[in-house]
């Protein structure tokens, strides 16, 4: 089955810096990948997704890059703000119903 | 905020007891998925309901069961609670096969003592 994993459990940045959160996956057949943000006491919130036939997708202040050769994706957050402090998960579908989540990277932004 | 609401928000139960958690899905969504999130971990898929029937299940024992009602709201029932069942239980609603557009509720924090 699918497994996804994040490279670093924690990331600390200064306000205004760019943040990069990385994720590796195992199943090359995944049709898409999703990044979620989870703030303390809340459920995961959708940030951005990327289809497997794409290499890059941009949103507001966020960019996701997908490298299928090495089965790696990354989430880049531009001009990181204190409100970006949260746990970030990558997720991929399995068997058409489940989403498989990684363990998460805790992003801490200091001002 | 999403339109997915879960109740209760917090719950303390004793080992061996039974618990029922509830989820109201986003308006128009016909599919509900339940996840268990242990402290410091990512959510783990329990099962999904579509049109009142189980539509997929993760690696959880039969004492985890669910229901979906005609209005698409859902319940998660856990029997014979164990200490390791302590976790945040998340409900996500979506349209069938549109998991990228799933909305999560805020979760129910279950503590088993």
């Amino acid at each position: 089955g699918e497994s996804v994993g994040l490279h670093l459990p924690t990331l600390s940045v200064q306000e205004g810096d760019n943040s990069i959160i990385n994720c590796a996956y195992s199943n090359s057949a995944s049709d898409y990948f999703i990044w979620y943000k989870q703030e303390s006491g809340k459920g995961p919130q959708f940030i951005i997704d990327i289809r497997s036939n794409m290499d890059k997708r941009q949103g507001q202040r966020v960019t996701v890059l997908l490298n299928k050769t090495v089965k790696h994706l990354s989430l880049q957050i531009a001009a990181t703000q204190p409100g970006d402090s949260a746990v970030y998960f990558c997720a991929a579908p399995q068997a058409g119903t489940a989403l498989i989540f990684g363990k998460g990277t805790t992003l801490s932004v200091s001002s | 905020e999403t339109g997915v609401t879960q109740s209760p928000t917090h719950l303390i139960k004793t080992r061996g007891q039974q618990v029922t958690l509830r989820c109201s899905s986003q308006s128009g969504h016909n599919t509900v998925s339940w996840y268990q999130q242990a402290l410091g971990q990512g959510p783990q898929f329990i099962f999904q309901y579509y049109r009142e029937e189980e539509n997929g299940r993760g690696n959880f024992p039969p004492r985890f069961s669910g229901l979906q009602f005609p209005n698409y709201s859902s319940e998660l029932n856990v029997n014979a609670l164990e200490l390791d069942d302590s976790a945040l239980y998340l409900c996500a609603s979506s349209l069938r096969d549109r998991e990228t557009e799933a909305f999560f509720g805020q979760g129910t924090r279950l503590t088993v003592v």
Side-chain angles (χ1 to χ4, degrees):
Chain A
E2 174 69 271
S3 69
V4 290
L6 286 162
H7 291 188
L8 287 175
T10 61
L11 178 64
S12 297
V13 301
Q14 292 280 98
E15 183 178 359
D17 287 351
N18 295 331
S19 302
I20 299 176
I21 301 171
N22 297 301
C23 182
Y25 63 92
S26 63
N27 187 356
S28 302
S30 293
D31 292 331
Y32 57 89
F33 302 89
I34 310 172
W35 281 99
Y36 286 94
K37 172 186 180 183
Q38 187 174 25
E39 296 174 283
S40 181
K42 296 185 178 180
Q45 178 186 3
F46 173 90
I47 302 173
I48 191 168
D49 64 352
I50 186 167
R51 294 281 161 182
S52 59
N53 60 357
M54 302 171 68
D55 297 323
K56 179 179 180 179
R57 189 171 186 207
Q58 287 184 295
Q60 187 177 12
R61 282 199 307 117
V62 295
T63 301
V64 57
L65 299 178
L66 177 61
N67 185 330
K68 293 179 282 293
T69 302
V70 295
K71 299 183 183 178
H72 176 274
L73 68 158
S74 65
L75 176 72
Q76 301 177 5
I77 305 173
T80 314
Q81 303 168 359
D84 295 326
S85 294
V87 181
Y88 289 81
F89 295 97
C90 58
Q94 181 178 56
T97 55
L99 285 175
I100 305 301
F101 287 79
K103 288 189 176 181
T105 288
T106 300
L107 175 64
S108 298
V109 183
S110 53
S111 32
Chain B
E1 295 297 327
T2 72
V4 181
T5 57
Q6 292 186 242
S7 63
T9 54
H10 296 84
L11 197 55
I12 300 175
K13 288 286 191 178
T14 303
R15 189 172 50 182
Q17 285 188 313
Q18 178 266 343
V19 68
T20 297
L21 311 181
R22 295 178 174 83
C23 172
S24 294
S25 58
Q26 173 100 352
S27 177
H29 283 180
N30 55 18
T31 302
V32 174
S33 301
W34 285 92
Y35 290 81
Q36 180 195 67
Q37 186 176 21
L39 201 61
Q41 303 294 317
Q44 279 199 300
F45 176 72
I46 304 175
F47 44 55
Q48 183 184 86
Y49 277 82
Y50 170 67
R51 289 190 174 178
E52 302 177 55
E53 292 192 358
E54 190 177 286
N55 184 47
R57 189 179 183 94
N59 189 26
F60 280 82
R63 58 189 186 85
F64 285 77
S65 63
L67 283 174
Q68 187 181 33
F69 300 98
N71 66 354
Y72 304 129
S73 66
S74 177
E75 286 183 355
L76 164 65
N77 298 290
V78 187
N79 294 322
L81 283 166
E82 301 177 0
L83 297 180
D84 285 349
D85 295 333
S86 295
L88 180 68
Y89 288 85
L90 294 162
C91 157
S93 78
S94 65
L95 290 172
R96 176 79 184 275
D97 296 330
R98 302 280 287 272
E99 279 79 11
T100 57
E101 297 168 17
F103 291 98
F104 282 83
Q106 84 283 3
T108 293
R109 172 71 62 189
L110 172 65
T111 303
V112 183
V113 297

